Amino acid sequence: MKPFRVFLLTAALTGALLTPAAQAAGLTHTVAQGDTMWKLAVKYQVGTSEIIHANPQISNPDLIYPGQVLNIPQTDSKAASFEAEVVRLVNEIRRQNGLKPLAENWELSRVARYKSQDMLDKRYFSHTSPTYGTPFQMIKAFGLSYRTAGENIAMGYSTPQAVVNGWMNSSGHRANILNASYTQIGVGYVAQGNYWTQMFIG
Protein backbone atom coordinates (compact mmCIF):
# COMPACT_ATOMS: atom_id res chain seq x y z
CA MET A 1 0.00 0.00 0.00
CA LYS A 2 1.40 3.36 -1.00
CA PRO A 3 1.70 6.09 1.65
CA PHE A 4 -0.82 8.89 1.88
CA ARG A 5 -2.02 11.27 4.56
CA VAL A 6 -4.92 13.64 5.12
CA PHE A 7 -5.07 16.93 6.99
CA LEU A 8 -8.03 19.20 7.75
CA LEU A 9 -7.85 22.88 8.67
CA THR A 10 -10.31 25.61 9.56
CA ALA A 11 -9.13 29.24 9.58
CA ALA A 12 -8.99 32.59 7.84
CA LEU A 13 -5.57 33.49 6.47
CA THR A 14 -3.58 36.24 4.77
CA GLY A 15 0.18 36.58 4.29
CA ALA A 16 3.20 37.08 2.06
CA LEU A 17 4.87 35.40 -0.87
CA LEU A 18 7.74 32.93 -0.46
CA THR A 19 10.78 31.87 -2.45
CA PRO A 20 10.64 30.45 -6.01
CA ALA A 21 9.94 26.83 -6.86
CA ALA A 22 11.63 24.89 -9.63
CA GLN A 23 9.87 25.69 -12.90
CA ALA A 24 10.34 24.51 -16.46
CA ALA A 25 11.74 26.90 -19.05
CA GLY A 26 8.94 28.99 -20.43
CA LEU A 27 7.78 31.93 -22.46
CA THR A 28 8.98 35.45 -22.95
CA HIS A 29 6.86 38.57 -22.52
CA THR A 30 7.55 42.03 -23.90
CA VAL A 31 6.55 44.53 -21.24
CA ALA A 32 3.71 46.84 -22.29
CA GLN A 33 2.54 50.11 -20.76
CA GLY A 34 0.82 49.37 -17.44
CA ASP A 35 2.40 45.94 -16.90
CA THR A 36 3.50 45.03 -13.39
CA MET A 37 5.01 41.83 -12.03
CA TRP A 38 1.68 41.02 -10.36
CA LYS A 39 -0.29 41.55 -13.58
CA LEU A 40 2.11 39.22 -15.38
CA ALA A 41 1.83 36.66 -12.57
CA VAL A 42 -1.95 36.62 -12.93
CA LYS A 43 -1.83 36.55 -16.74
CA TYR A 44 0.56 33.60 -16.89
CA GLN A 45 -0.56 31.98 -13.61
CA VAL A 46 2.91 31.88 -12.12
CA GLY A 47 4.19 33.49 -8.91
CA THR A 48 5.84 36.89 -8.94
CA SER A 49 8.83 35.41 -7.12
CA GLU A 50 9.30 32.88 -9.94
CA ILE A 51 9.20 35.67 -12.54
CA ILE A 52 11.71 37.71 -10.54
CA HIS A 53 13.97 34.66 -10.13
CA ALA A 54 13.83 33.99 -13.90
CA ASN A 55 14.90 37.57 -14.67
CA PRO A 56 18.12 38.39 -12.80
CA GLN A 57 18.73 41.20 -15.30
CA ILE A 58 15.96 43.22 -13.59
CA SER A 59 17.63 45.00 -10.67
CA ASN A 60 14.37 46.39 -9.24
CA PRO A 61 11.25 44.29 -9.92
CA ASP A 62 9.05 47.26 -8.98
CA LEU A 63 10.42 49.09 -12.03
CA ILE A 64 9.82 47.34 -15.33
CA TYR A 65 9.57 49.33 -18.53
CA PRO A 66 7.77 48.96 -21.87
CA GLY A 67 9.93 47.10 -24.37
CA GLN A 68 11.82 45.01 -21.81
CA VAL A 69 11.66 41.27 -22.51
CA LEU A 70 11.00 39.09 -19.48
CA ASN A 71 11.31 35.33 -19.14
CA ILE A 72 8.09 33.73 -17.88
CA PRO A 73 8.71 30.31 -16.30
CA GLN A 74 6.06 27.65 -16.83
CA THR A 75 5.14 24.45 -15.03
CA ASP A 76 6.39 21.25 -16.66
CA SER A 77 3.74 20.17 -19.20
CA LYS A 78 3.48 16.58 -17.94
CA ALA A 79 3.04 17.74 -14.37
CA ALA A 80 0.44 20.31 -15.45
CA SER A 81 -1.54 17.69 -17.38
CA PHE A 82 -1.45 15.28 -14.40
CA GLU A 83 -2.61 18.05 -12.06
CA ALA A 84 -5.47 19.00 -14.39
CA GLU A 85 -6.53 15.36 -14.64
CA VAL A 86 -6.70 15.05 -10.84
CA VAL A 87 -8.97 18.10 -10.76
CA ARG A 88 -11.16 16.57 -13.48
CA LEU A 89 -11.39 13.23 -11.67
CA VAL A 90 -12.20 14.88 -8.33
CA ASN A 91 -14.94 16.97 -9.93
CA GLU A 92 -16.41 13.91 -11.64
CA ILE A 93 -16.53 12.13 -8.26
CA ARG A 94 -18.16 15.18 -6.68
CA ARG A 95 -20.73 15.34 -9.51
CA GLN A 96 -21.56 11.66 -8.99
CA ASN A 97 -22.15 12.44 -5.31
CA GLY A 98 -24.41 15.45 -5.94
CA LEU A 99 -21.79 18.06 -5.06
CA LYS A 100 -20.75 21.21 -6.89
CA PRO A 101 -17.44 21.06 -8.78
CA LEU A 102 -14.38 22.72 -7.31
CA ALA A 103 -12.84 25.68 -9.14
CA GLU A 104 -9.17 25.17 -9.92
CA ASN A 105 -7.20 27.91 -8.14
CA TRP A 106 -3.79 28.46 -9.79
CA GLU A 107 -2.39 30.14 -6.68
CA LEU A 108 -3.43 27.19 -4.50
CA SER A 109 -1.89 24.81 -7.09
CA ARG A 110 1.32 26.81 -6.77
CA VAL A 111 1.30 26.26 -3.00
CA ALA A 112 0.64 22.54 -3.55
CA ARG A 113 3.59 22.32 -5.99
CA TYR A 114 5.89 23.92 -3.43
CA LYS A 115 4.72 21.38 -0.84
CA SER A 116 5.31 18.40 -3.16
CA GLN A 117 8.74 19.72 -4.14
CA ASP A 118 9.60 20.36 -0.50
CA MET A 119 8.72 16.76 0.45
CA LEU A 120 11.10 15.54 -2.27
CA ASP A 121 13.88 18.00 -1.45
CA LYS A 122 13.75 17.52 2.33
CA ARG A 123 13.04 13.76 2.16
CA TYR A 124 9.96 13.68 4.33
CA PHE A 125 6.33 12.66 3.98
CA SER A 126 4.15 14.63 6.34
CA HIS A 127 1.61 17.43 6.48
CA THR A 128 4.10 19.39 8.57
CA SER A 129 6.96 20.74 6.47
CA PRO A 130 10.33 21.60 8.01
CA THR A 131 10.35 24.57 5.62
CA TYR A 132 6.76 25.88 5.70
CA GLY A 133 5.22 24.37 8.83
CA THR A 134 1.66 23.08 8.76
CA PRO A 135 -0.59 23.48 5.72
CA PHE A 136 -2.34 26.20 7.74
CA GLN A 137 0.92 28.13 8.11
CA MET A 138 1.98 27.48 4.53
CA ILE A 139 -1.25 28.67 2.91
CA LYS A 140 -1.17 31.73 5.18
CA ALA A 141 2.41 32.53 4.15
CA PHE A 142 1.43 32.37 0.47
CA GLY A 143 -1.26 34.99 1.05
CA LEU A 144 -4.41 32.97 0.44
CA SER A 145 -7.47 33.47 2.63
CA TYR A 146 -10.28 31.04 3.38
CA ARG A 147 -12.74 29.90 6.02
CA THR A 148 -12.02 26.18 5.81
CA ALA A 149 -9.22 24.17 4.23
CA GLY A 150 -7.83 20.68 3.85
CA GLU A 151 -4.86 18.84 2.41
CA ASN A 152 -4.33 15.36 0.96
CA ILE A 153 -0.81 14.12 0.21
CA ALA A 154 0.41 10.95 -1.47
CA MET A 155 3.65 9.44 -2.68
CA GLY A 156 4.51 6.72 -5.17
CA TYR A 157 1.38 6.78 -7.34
CA SER A 158 2.44 7.17 -10.97
CA THR A 159 -0.87 8.29 -12.53
CA PRO A 160 -3.69 10.67 -11.63
CA GLN A 161 -6.25 7.84 -11.62
CA ALA A 162 -4.12 5.75 -9.25
CA VAL A 163 -3.64 8.57 -6.74
CA VAL A 164 -7.31 9.55 -6.81
CA ASN A 165 -8.29 5.90 -6.32
CA GLY A 166 -5.90 5.72 -3.37
CA TRP A 167 -7.40 8.82 -1.80
CA MET A 168 -10.96 7.61 -2.38
CA ASN A 169 -10.16 4.30 -0.67
CA SER A 170 -9.20 6.18 2.51
CA SER A 171 -11.97 7.64 4.66
CA GLY A 172 -10.11 10.82 5.60
CA HIS A 173 -9.02 11.62 2.04
CA ARG A 174 -12.45 10.75 0.71
CA ALA A 175 -13.99 13.14 3.25
CA ASN A 176 -11.83 15.97 1.92
CA ILE A 177 -12.73 15.22 -1.71
CA LEU A 178 -16.44 15.08 -0.83
CA ASN A 179 -16.47 18.03 1.57
CA ALA A 180 -19.34 20.31 0.48
CA SER A 181 -17.80 23.33 2.21
CA TYR A 182 -14.83 23.39 -0.18
CA THR A 183 -15.15 25.51 -3.32
CA GLN A 184 -11.60 25.55 -4.72
CA ILE A 185 -8.82 23.06 -5.34
CA GLY A 186 -5.10 23.19 -6.05
CA VAL A 187 -2.98 20.21 -7.07
CA GLY A 188 0.81 19.94 -7.13
CA TYR A 189 2.66 16.99 -8.66
CA VAL A 190 6.41 16.26 -8.75
CA ALA A 191 7.37 13.34 -11.01
CA GLN A 192 10.56 12.36 -9.18
CA GLY A 193 9.22 10.10 -6.45
CA ASN A 194 5.64 10.79 -7.57
CA TYR A 195 4.83 13.29 -4.83
CA TRP A 196 1.26 14.62 -4.82
CA THR A 197 -0.35 17.41 -2.83
CA GLN A 198 -4.00 18.29 -3.09
CA MET A 199 -5.21 21.40 -1.26
CA PHE A 200 -8.80 22.53 -0.76
CA ILE A 201 -10.25 25.81 0.42
CA GLY A 202 -13.72 27.13 0.99
Side-chain angles (χ1 to χ4, degrees), residues 125-201:
F125 184 71
S126 170
H127 290 290
T128 303
S129 158
T131 309
Y132 304 108
T134 65
F136 178 96
Q137 293 165 323
M138 186 173 186
I139 294 172
K140 178 180 179 181
F142 275 77
L144 299 178
S145 23
Y146 57 84
R147 289 183 303 277
T148 184
E151 176 184 83
N152 289 341
I153 58 174
M155 180 180 70
Y157 294 91
S158 60
T159 68
Q161 187 69 64
V163 74
V164 171
N165 289 347
W167 283 328
M168 287 302 290
N169 287 325
S170 159
S171 60
H173 297 86
R174 182 182 177 90
N176 268 344
I177 289 170
L178 298 178
N179 188 325
S181 67
Y182 296 147
T183 58
Q184 298 176 58
I185 186 173
V187 179
Y189 170 69
V190 173
Q192 185 180 344
N194 291 303
Y195 285 89
W196 300 85
T197 302
Q198 188 177 51
M199 290 181 165
F200 307 90
I201 60 175

Side-chain angles (χ1 to χ4, degrees), residues 108-122:
L108 192 59
S109 290
R110 179 173 173 255
V111 179
R113 284 184 203 113
Y114 271 75
K115 177 62 180 282
S116 292
Q117 186 67 49
D118 191 58
M119 287 192 291
L120 171 65
D121 293 346
K122 300 291 172 58

Side-chain angles (χ1 to χ4, degrees), residues 1 18 22 30 35 52 64 66 68 71 87 90 93 96 109-110 113 117 139 142 145 175 179 186:
M1 187 165 179
L18 297 178
T30 302
D35 279 347
I52 291 166
I64 57 174
Q68 286 180 309
N71 298 309
V87 173
V90 165
I93 290 165
Q96 292 169 2
S109 290
R110 179 173 173 255
R113 284 184 203 113
Q117 186 67 49
I139 294 172
F142 275 77
S145 23
N179 188 325

Side-chain angles (χ1 to χ4, degrees), residues 56-135:
Q57 76 279 13
I58 304 296
S59 58
N60 183 351
D62 293 329
L63 299 173
I64 57 174
Y65 300 100
Q68 286 180 309
V69 177
L70 300 181
N71 298 309
I72 308 294
Q74 298 292 290
T75 302
D76 173 82
S77 60
K78 178 183 176 184
S81 68
F82 273 26
E83 292 163 0
E85 179 64 3
V86 167
V87 173
R88 188 193 71 76
L89 290 167
V90 165
N91 280 333
E92 178 59 23
I93 290 165
R94 288 174 65 89
R95 185 193 64 75
Q96 292 169 2
N97 286 273
L99 297 168
K100 292 181 179 178
L102 300 170
E104 187 172 4
N105 180 324
W106 72 267
E107 292 178 280
L108 192 59
S109 290
R110 179 173 173 255
V111 179
R113 284 184 203 113
Y114 271 75
K115 177 62 180 282
S116 292
Q117 186 67 49
D118 191 58
M119 287 192 291
L120 171 65
D121 293 346
K122 300 291 172 58
R123 299 175 184 261
Y124 71 94
F125 184 71
S126 170
H127 290 290
T128 303
S129 158
T131 309
Y132 304 108
T134 65

